[in-house]
Amino acid sequence: RLTGSLVNRRRRDRFNASEEVLGKGDYFPLNLVDGQLIDANGDLDYELPYLLDPLVFHDTTLLGFDKDGKPIPTAEDGTFEYERAEISIDFLGLDHTPLNRQRKQVWENCENEIVEISKKIKNSIGGVLRSKILKDAHDKIRQLTAKTNAYSSVAISCVCTNSIEYPWLKPLIGHLG
């Protein structure tokens, strides 16, 4: 997979005081306890990589984001999927301060829209008006979470998190992105 130069180099985050080194360098770890190396026929099906692949849909579901833009594993703690997410966050530098700042801004924009829409829904009188507001709201949320938008996964995480407080978001969750 092609990737930016920052991921392939080992470096420190110059935007924060931590001495932690980011980036994977030439590290491409495999789980050789549960999997194995490529076989003699060139079959990769038995390799179990630790680093998440952004082109594999399942791998994209293993990362979420919090309101501060920080990446978090979505799998249950103690599972191989959780470990993969943690290793990827560390070695791919996904917790890099500028990325977190940009993701936080996307979260805040999305959350502001959700709050404003919720006010309109609450203040609507009559079922027809409420239905129109909900239709427009669903369209707006789908726009915010479209795959073509930068950090759309952050907007999706924001919608999922806020669906607890704002139940009108729940029917959308399976249709985002």
Side-chain angles (χ1 to χ4, degrees):
R1 303 283 186 243
L2 296 175
T3 187
S5 63
L6 288 178
V7 172
N8 286 330
R9 290 189 327 214
R10 304 282 292 148
R11 78 228 179 278
R12 286 184 173 55
D13 185 348
R14 65 187 171 130
F15 298 96
N16 111 20
S18 172
E19 291 297 315
E20 184 180 3
V21 176
L22 303 171
K24 68 172 185 53
D26 59 0
Y27 183 61
F28 293 95
L30 297 174
N31 176 339
L32 297 177
V33 173
D34 300 310
Q36 63 192 44
L37 293 175
I38 189 170
D39 70 13
N41 298 323
D43 191 352
L44 294 171
D45 288 339
Y46 301 104
E47 285 193 349
L48 296 174
Y50 276 103
L51 296 177
L52 299 178
D53 184 339
L55 298 182
V56 174
F57 176 74
H58 175 72
D59 287 4
T60 66
T61 67
L62 299 177
L63 280 180
F65 302 91
D66 69 12
K67 64 183 180 69
D68 295 319
K70 292 185 170 285
I72 52 174
T74 58
E76 187 177 330
D77 193 2
T79 63
F80 177 60
E81 287 84 3
Y82 184 93
E83 188 177 7
R84 291 184 68 211
E86 287 243 301
I87 287 171
S88 295
I89 290 167
D90 288 342
F91 284 93
L92 298 179
L94 300 178
D95 199 16
H96 192 50
T97 301
L99 291 174
N100 290 345
R101 286 181 190 147
Q102 291 170 12
R103 290 188 294 241
K104 181 179 181 179
Q105 186 62 53
V106 168
W107 183 288
E108 289 173 353
N109 291 343
C110 185
E111 196 165 58
N112 288 340
E113 283 289 338
I114 290 169
V115 168
E116 288 303 311
I117 291 167
S118 293
K119 287 178 187 174
K120 288 181 182 179
I121 291 170
K122 183 179 177 186
N123 294 330
S124 67
I125 52 173
V128 175
L129 179 58
R130 188 175 194 282
S131 292
K132 181 196 179 309
I133 291 170
L134 278 173
K135 178 201 164 298
D136 293 346
H138 289 174
D139 290 344
K140 180 65 177 177
I141 298 299
R142 293 221 35 220
Q143 289 172 7
L144 289 170
T145 59
K147 286 183 183 180
T148 54
N149 292 342
Y151 306 109
S152 61
S153 294
V154 176
I156 292 170
S157 288
C158 178
V159 169
C160 292
T161 299
N162 278 282
S163 70
I164 296 164
E165 185 175 351
Y166 304 107
W168 62 268
L169 290 167
K170 286 184 180 169
L172 287 172
I173 290 175
H175 306 284
L176 301 177

